[in-house]
Amino acid sequence: MSTLTPEQQAVVDAPMVPLCVIACAGSGKTKTAVHRLMQMRRNLGAARGRVALLSFSNVAVDTFRKAYSDLASSLPATAGRSRVDIDTLDGFITTNIIRPHGHRIMTAVRPAFLVTGNEAFLEGYKFSTSSFPQPVTSLQVAFMGDEEVFFHIRNDQIEYVDKSTARNLIVKLARTGAYTHDLGRYWAYRTLKDRPELLAAVARRYPHIMIDEAQDIGTVHQAILELLIGAGSFVTLIGDPNQGIYGFAGANGKFLTDYHQRTYVQRHSLQQNFRSAPNIVSLANSLCGRCDVADRPAPGMLHGAFFMGYKRDQHSQLIAAFHEAMSAAGVNAKRSGILCRGKGLAKTLRGDAAPVGQGVVKTLAAAAVLRDRRRDYLQAFQRVAVAIVALLNSPPDGLVSRITQHSSYPQDRNLRKEIWAFTRDAVSGLPPSSLIADTQWHPVLLKRIKILLARLEKNFGLRAADNIGRKLSKRALTSVPLASTEDFADNKAGMLRVDTVHKSKGESLDAVLYMTLKEHAQALLDGVNTEVGRIGYVAATRARDLLWVAVPHNSLKELRPAFLARGLEEVSIAAASVLPTAVAKCPRT
């Protein structure tokens, strides 16, 4: 406890009432939340009921679990230290509501199961739009007041869906027992709303619930929490409204910002930033209007916030210059990254090309490239699972989810291990993407897939479909390797993570290169009043020591005064080496 700041200690020692904790980026929310969890268990003692600590990403959950495990050994046995559940908010909903009870409200004859969109039977579940039919997995739901609204995202824009059409499709899907991530929340709300006895039971089981990153609570999540609050659960919210970047789901931070206005909620603030160098904290304050304080002194090496112009054909030069800057700053490239507003620009920088092949072969080719070029084993595994299920004769509904989601059933766990092993092993499993696609990679793939399918039939009773050779046709494969040796990922930039800002949320990176288009840069400079501005704020506040903001060259003259006014310094891509003692300034043009 002695390592906590007075602000953090005040949160930890607060009465057992709902709290609203507004925290700046890098303020030690994880440590504060875990110590608060410890203190709550200590205060509750042997009292019945559990305490839930929930967040929005598996990375955050793993961090919380490890931190609590390290600390909980100091709790007395009478404190009920095991009466704690640490999970994602969606995981909490699935475990306590959807999986055991959802099928009743859904009028399904089997337990509810998650679908990802690749299941063959979903082909018959689509809804009409202004352009062309969309899969049910694209359908999203939100609440506007007490009204349900249904929509999908097209070209980064919300397009609403007729309520009657959406409800009929949702009910039709629900009868099979299937739900998507978004519709799972909808059915959880419906279950608690329509079954007050279950709502009361969940509230009794969880008298205290803490939610980290609470600015990400969308309207459906909020509706569920409001039901639990009304039934007696004490809910604590911890987060930063300036990092609310899921506006399409209604997660704009307003629930967090307004929560303290309820008479029974106690307000707290965390204003000490332990992550970033002082001038990056100053930039963050300038963008959001806060007065947060940097805990760290200025590093002795190169550090700070910089901007530069780039042309469309200068991506490789820009990233090479960023590498030189990282070397000068003494930061680790493996703990750094390139962040983008949208997926399209991120794919361009990664050098992602549309995978060759067609059908199942195209899916497996994409998996090989993901594994070998980006070391993204999880996405590769998910694609392999989809492909293998597509090669089975009448696979059980929900088999992809049983493979890709954690399960308590030994049969499912063993099947998952089998597919994982095939995905990871380039020697005897999924062939390496360095092979010539049509003459080398495809024959090896065909041979190994047949061996895998034989094992699945022997060990799990999953029979292969007829005409495997036809399903695994080499049509549309080319006479070059799936992943060229000249791939973008093979040069100096290959060691750098390239991702969207949304994927980096909650993380701390030594150095950040924020790649922008003009509208992204302008929104960053304008502050946090818009979602794109908040996305820029999140990108900037990930950086510990070094922040680069790359701006399209044709926008640089217009935006330069605003960047300088915000305290960023200008550098030039042409300066391949940025020295710690003398930043290579870009000449005014």
Side-chain angles (χ1 to χ4, degrees):
M1 291 294 187
S2 61
T3 62
L4 297 171
T5 68
E7 287 180 331
Q8 293 171 333
Q9 192 73 56
V11 174
V12 172
D13 293 340
M16 297 289 284
V17 299
L19 307 181
C20 175
V21 183
I22 305 295
C24 71
S27 58
K29 294 190 296 294
T30 297
K31 180 169 71 172
T32 306
V34 170
H35 278 82
R36 171 67 174 169
L37 181 63
M38 287 269 294
Q39 188 62 33
M40 292 173 77
R41 274 283 28 130
R42 189 177 284 111
N43 292 344
L44 288 168
R48 295 184 63 182
R50 305 177 70 82
V51 181
L53 173 55
L54 310 175
S55 192
F56 286 86
S57 74
N58 291 322
V59 172
V61 167
D62 290 344
T63 301
F64 279 127
R65 286 174 177 167
K66 183 180 186 306
Y68 181 74
S69 176
D70 292 343
L71 290 172
S73 59
S74 64
L75 281 172
T78 56
R81 56 177 174 247
S82 63
R83 294 179 191 169
V84 164
D85 287 321
I86 302 175
D87 206 342
T88 63
L89 183 49
D90 281 338
F92 174 84
I93 289 168
T94 299
T95 300
N96 291 284
I97 306 169
I98 294 294
R99 195 172 289 150
H101 307 288
H103 66 283
R104 297 182 178 90
I105 301 299
M106 296 165 68
T107 66
V109 296
R110 68 184 75 187
F113 62 93
L114 175 69
V115 291
T116 61
N118 297 294
E119 293 79 1
F121 81 97
L122 291 180
E123 189 63 31
Y125 294 87
K126 294 185 177 181
F127 59 93
S128 299
T129 71
S130 61
S131 53
F132 47 84
Q134 291 284 342
V136 67
T137 47
S138 297
L139 185 62
Q140 300 186 48
V141 61
F143 284 101
M144 290 187 177
D146 295 329
E147 286 291 316
E148 302 164 351
V149 294
F150 302 94
F151 63 96
H152 73 109
I153 306 296
R154 181 170 178 264
N155 296 328
D156 291 329
Q157 299 295 319
I158 292 176
E159 184 175 296
Y160 291 100
V161 179
D162 175 73
K163 287 184 181 180
S164 177
T165 299
R167 284 171 176 156
N168 289 339
L169 181 61
I170 291 170
V171 169
K172 177 184 174 184
L173 179 67
R175 291 195 185 107
T176 71
Y179 66 91
T180 66
H181 283 291
D182 222 72
L183 297 182
R185 300 166 197 139
Y186 171 81
W187 286 116
Y189 171 79
R190 285 282 308 276
T191 300
L192 294 181
K193 184 75 172 176
D194 296 351
R195 297 193 59 194
E197 75 283 0
L198 174 61
L199 172 61
V202 175
R204 281 197 304 271
R205 180 175 174 80
Y206 294 98
H208 295 275
I209 300 172
M210 280 196 296
I211 302 179
D212 177 49
E213 301 288 354
Q215 72 279 351
D216 293 339
I217 296 173
T219 57
V220 184
H221 280 142
Q222 180 179 343
I224 293 169
L225 292 172
E226 294 286 16
L227 290 175
L228 290 170
I229 291 169
S233 292
F234 282 8
V235 173
T236 287
L237 304 183
I238 306 174
D240 179 1
N242 297 315
Q243 296 186 55
I245 59 174
Y246 295 94
F248 62 86
N252 54 13
K254 185 172 173 56
F255 182 41
L256 170 63
T257 303
D258 295 347
Y259 192 54
H260 74 278
Q261 296 177 5
R262 307 183 188 202
T263 56
Y264 54 85
V265 175
Q266 190 176 106
R267 183 177 187 178
H268 290 264
S269 180
L270 299 178
Q271 295 181 290
Q272 198 162 352
N273 186 313
F274 297 90
R275 174 186 297 153
S276 300
N279 43 12
I280 296 178
V281 175
S282 295
L283 170 63
N285 286 337
S286 170
L287 296 174
C288 69
R290 288 175 60 96
C291 299
D292 300 316
V293 178
D295 178 76
R296 295 175 55 204
M301 301 291 281
L302 173 70
H303 65 280
F306 304 89
F307 72 100
M308 69 294 302
Y310 73 95
K311 296 180 181 178
R312 187 172 296 181
D313 61 353
Q314 287 185 311
H315 289 160
S316 59
Q317 297 98 308
L318 171 61
I319 295 172
F322 185 54
H323 264 277
E324 295 294 337
M326 286 190 292
S327 296
V331 303
N332 190 334
K334 293 182 179 179
R335 295 196 303 267
S336 304
I338 304 171
L339 303 181
C340 306
R341 160 68 179 88
K343 295 178 182 178
L345 183 55
K347 287 181 178 180
T348 298
L349 293 173
R350 282 195 296 257
D352 288 359
V356 295
Q358 64 179 22
V360 175
V361 171
K362 182 176 182 177
T363 302
L364 291 166
V369 172
L370 282 166
R371 180 195 64 193
D372 298 342
R373 186 167 68 186
R374 290 172 49 192
R375 300 294 187 266
D376 193 335
Y377 291 96
L378 177 58
Q379 286 200 52
F381 163 69
Q382 291 169 344
R383 281 165 171 75
V384 170
V386 168
I388 296 303
V389 171
L391 295 173
L392 298 176
N393 181 36
S394 301
D397 289 343
L399 183 59
V400 171
S401 296
R402 286 167 49 191
I403 295 172
T404 57
Q405 307 293 320
H406 291 288
S407 172
S408 58
Y409 297 103
Q411 186 84 342
D412 290 346
R413 292 203 303 271
N414 291 334
L415 179 58
R416 179 184 175 90
K417 289 177 182 178
E418 189 79 54
I419 304 302
W420 255 116
F422 180 85
T423 302
R424 294 183 64 91
D425 188 1
V427 175
S428 60
L430 183 66
S433 59
S434 57
L435 298 178
I436 302 297
D438 58 352
T439 60
Q440 297 177 346
W441 183 82
H442 181 266
V444 175
L445 173 73
L446 189 59
K447 178 181 177 180
R448 293 179 184 178
I449 284 286
K450 289 180 177 179
I451 294 172
L452 173 64
L453 291 173
R455 286 202 304 270
L456 296 185
E457 182 171 1
K458 177 182 178 181
N459 298 330
F460 305 97
L462 299 171
R463 193 163 61 87
D466 297 331
N467 300 318
I468 289 297
R470 186 183 303 168
K471 287 179 176 288
L472 291 173
S473 168
K474 68 176 182 180
R475 188 179 303 165
L477 288 177
T478 57
S479 298
V480 297
L482 292 176
S484 167
T485 55
E486 296 179 355
D487 243 327
F488 190 82
D490 287 335
N491 63 21
K492 276 178 75 175
M495 70 181 73
L496 267 177
R497 165 189 178 179
V498 181
D499 224 328
T500 63
V501 176
H502 287 80
K503 289 291 185 69
S504 71
K505 197 125 175 317
E507 297 186 49
S508 178
L509 301 173
D510 283 3
V512 168
L513 169 57
Y514 181 37
M515 292 288 298
T516 71
L517 304 179
K518 178 184 178 181
E519 57 268 28
H520 308 154
Q522 185 66 67
L524 167 69
L525 294 167
D526 290 343
V528 295
N529 291 325
T530 66
E531 184 169 10
V532 181
R534 291 192 292 273
I535 289 171
Y537 174 84
V538 170
T541 55
R542 298 312 91 200
R544 296 188 71 254
D545 295 313
L546 192 64
L547 170 68
W548 273 28
V549 181
V551 185
H553 185 269
N554 56 11
S555 305
L556 188 59
K557 183 176 181 180
E558 177 184 347
L559 297 178
R560 178 181 287 121
F563 272 109
L564 295 173
R566 289 293 190 188
L568 289 89
E569 294 187 70
E570 187 173 1
V571 295
S572 171
I573 294 177
S577 178
V578 183
L579 302 176
T581 56
V583 176
K585 300 291 181 65
C586 180
R588 298 290 186 264
T589 57

